[in-house]
């Protein structure tokens, strides 16, 4: 009489299948974790958590104008001598008086950088037919032209006109027209961001009042403004478009840099007297500054 082979207990088969399924799940887990919330072409993507209840996304957008707080120009002193050493000595001597006068204004107010440019001048002559022959050989150098360049960065525009008058009075070979720039201080940046958040709150109050609703608690505050541009429907325009900026006026004390430094020392009497005869008016131009902030509020039903 034939006997069939004994079968494995069901528990053994079930345990083996569980281990296989667990291993497959572990292998697939990284791939699932990298799956985006929606593929290109799908009509919908998951809404952010703050949209589960009625909300209003308010974009604060402010703009102000503040005067430039940096100015730069350069004064150049050129000298021609037979030797490069002699030209260098003469050029730096010409720039020395101005350098000392500007340094006396205070290193926190005025930053100075001196550089030298040397150019050889070659022997030239004309032939009988009038053709000019200009040598470019090292053994045909006739003299040297050295230019001492004094680059001036004014960090306190209160002394800008005085610094420029001194530069003109020093009688340089050439002097640049001042260029201006704006480097906002941290206090001004903070104030502008606070103004953007206040503008977002103002816009939200006006919108809810006009719609007959009530403003709830704040859900999200985003300084970058990106939350207000979330695309709820893939392929459709963003949730909130660009809104016109609200003009705000920065406090006066934030527009001028305050420096707790000693009063500038008087320059040399000769240069100061010459500078007093120079009539210069330099008014820093205004530069625009913008800031945005997104604030998400919950909405409450009408009272």
């Amino acid at each position: 009489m034939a006997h069939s082979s004994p079968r494995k207990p069901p528990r053994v088969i079930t345990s083996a299948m569980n281990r296989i399924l667990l291993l497959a799940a572990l292998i697939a887990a990284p791939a699932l974790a990298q799956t985006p919330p929606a593929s290109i072409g799908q009509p919908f993507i998951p809404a952010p958590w703050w949209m589960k209840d009625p909300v209003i996304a308010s974009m604060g957008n402010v703009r102000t104008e503040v005067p430039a707080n940096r100015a730069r120009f350069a004064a150049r002193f050129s000298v021609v001598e037979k030797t490069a050493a002699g030209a260098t000595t003469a050029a730096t001597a010409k720039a020395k008086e101005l350098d000392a006068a500007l340094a006396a204004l205070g290193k926190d107010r005025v930053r100075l950088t001196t550089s030298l440019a040397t150019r050889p001048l070659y022997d030239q002559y004309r032939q009988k037919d009038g053709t000019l022959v200009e040598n470019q050989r090292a053994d045909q150098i006739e003299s040297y032209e050295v230019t001492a360049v004094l680059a001036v960065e004014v960090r306190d525009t209160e002394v800008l006109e005085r610094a420029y008058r001194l530069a003109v009075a020093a009688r340089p070979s050439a002097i640049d027209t001042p260029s201006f720039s704006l480097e906002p201080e941290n206090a001004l940046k903070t104030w502008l961001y606070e103004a953007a958040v206040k503008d977002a709150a103002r816009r939200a109050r006006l919108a809810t009042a006009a719609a007959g609703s009530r403003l709830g608690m704040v859900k999200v505050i985003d300084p970058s403004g990106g939350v207000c541009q979330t695309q709820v429907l893939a392929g459709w325009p963003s949730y909130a478009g660009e809104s016109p900026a609200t003009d705000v006026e920065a406090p006066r004390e934030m527009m001028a840099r305050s420096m707790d430094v000693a009063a500038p020392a008087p320059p040399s009497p000769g240069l100061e007297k010459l500078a007093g005869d120079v009539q210069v008016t330099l008014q820093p131009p205004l530069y625009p500054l913008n800031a945005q902030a997104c604030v998400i509020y919950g909405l409450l039903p009408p009272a």
Side-chain angles (χ1 to χ4, degrees):
M1 185 174 181
H3 295 279
S4 59
S5 59
R7 296 182 178 181
K8 294 182 180 180
R11 280 183 306 185
V12 176
I13 298 175
T14 302
S15 178
M17 291 181 65
N18 286 341
R19 286 196 298 270
I20 294 173
L21 291 175
L22 178 61
L23 179 61
L26 292 174
I27 294 174
L32 292 175
Q34 297 175 5
T35 303
S39 301
I40 301 299
Q42 289 187 358
F44 300 102
I45 61 173
W49 65 267
W50 45 264
M51 292 192 65
K52 294 180 180 179
D53 298 316
V55 296
I56 177 173
S58 181
M59 174 71 84
N61 188 5
V62 294
R63 177 186 180 275
T64 190
E65 288 185 336
V66 294
N69 59 355
R70 299 285 191 276
R72 293 175 177 84
F73 64 90
R76 294 171 172 81
F77 299 85
S78 298
V79 174
V80 176
E81 295 286 348
K82 284 295 184 181
T83 64
T88 299
T89 301
T92 53
K94 281 192 171 186
K96 184 178 180 180
E97 186 179 17
L98 176 59
D99 184 275
L102 293 176
L105 297 178
K107 64 180 181 179
D108 291 330
R109 289 187 168 96
V110 179
R111 300 284 180 90
L112 303 173
T113 304
T114 304
S115 60
L116 295 171
T118 303
R119 184 169 69 97
L121 303 177
Y122 298 91
D123 180 34
Q124 300 178 0
Y125 64 92
R126 289 188 181 274
Q127 296 178 342
K128 292 182 179 180
D129 59 358
T131 304
L132 179 65
V133 177
E134 181 179 356
N135 293 293
Q136 295 290 333
R137 292 169 19 205
D139 61 343
Q140 294 296 324
I141 296 176
E142 186 177 61
S143 57
Y144 290 88
E145 180 187 42
V146 174
T147 301
V149 182
L150 184 59
V152 183
E153 180 189 8
V154 179
R155 288 175 164 254
D156 183 0
T157 53
E158 292 293 326
V159 299
L160 172 59
E161 290 184 359
R162 184 177 179 185
Y164 199 78
R165 286 198 302 267
L166 289 169
V168 173
R171 296 174 181 162
S173 304
I175 185 170
D176 296 342
T177 301
S179 62
F180 295 91
S181 62
L182 174 65
E183 296 291 338
E185 302 291 335
N186 289 333
L188 180 59
K189 294 177 183 178
T190 301
W191 173 85
L192 198 60
Y193 167 64
E194 291 176 353
V197 174
K198 291 178 181 178
D199 185 60
R202 179 188 63 84
R203 293 173 188 256
R205 287 193 298 269
L206 291 175
T208 52
S213 183
R214 289 187 299 151
L215 205 59
M217 297 294 293
V218 174
K219 291 179 174 287
V220 178
I221 300 177
D222 179 17
S224 70
V227 171
C228 283
Q229 298 172 359
T230 301
Q231 288 189 269
V232 181
L233 300 177
W236 287 81
S238 58
Y239 180 72
E242 185 72 18
S243 57
T246 301
D247 290 328
V248 293
E249 185 174 354
R252 185 173 298 275
E253 61 271 13
M254 291 185 181
M255 291 191 289
R257 186 184 182 192
S258 58
M259 296 187 177
D260 298 328
V261 295
S268 62
L271 195 58
E272 181 69 16
K273 183 178 179 180
L274 292 174
D277 297 331
V278 179
Q279 299 299 320
V280 175
T281 301
L282 298 173
Q283 185 174 5
L286 295 176
Y287 281 79
L289 286 178
N290 290 76
Q292 291 184 333
C294 174
V295 183
I296 309 295
Y297 290 91
L299 286 178
L300 302 176

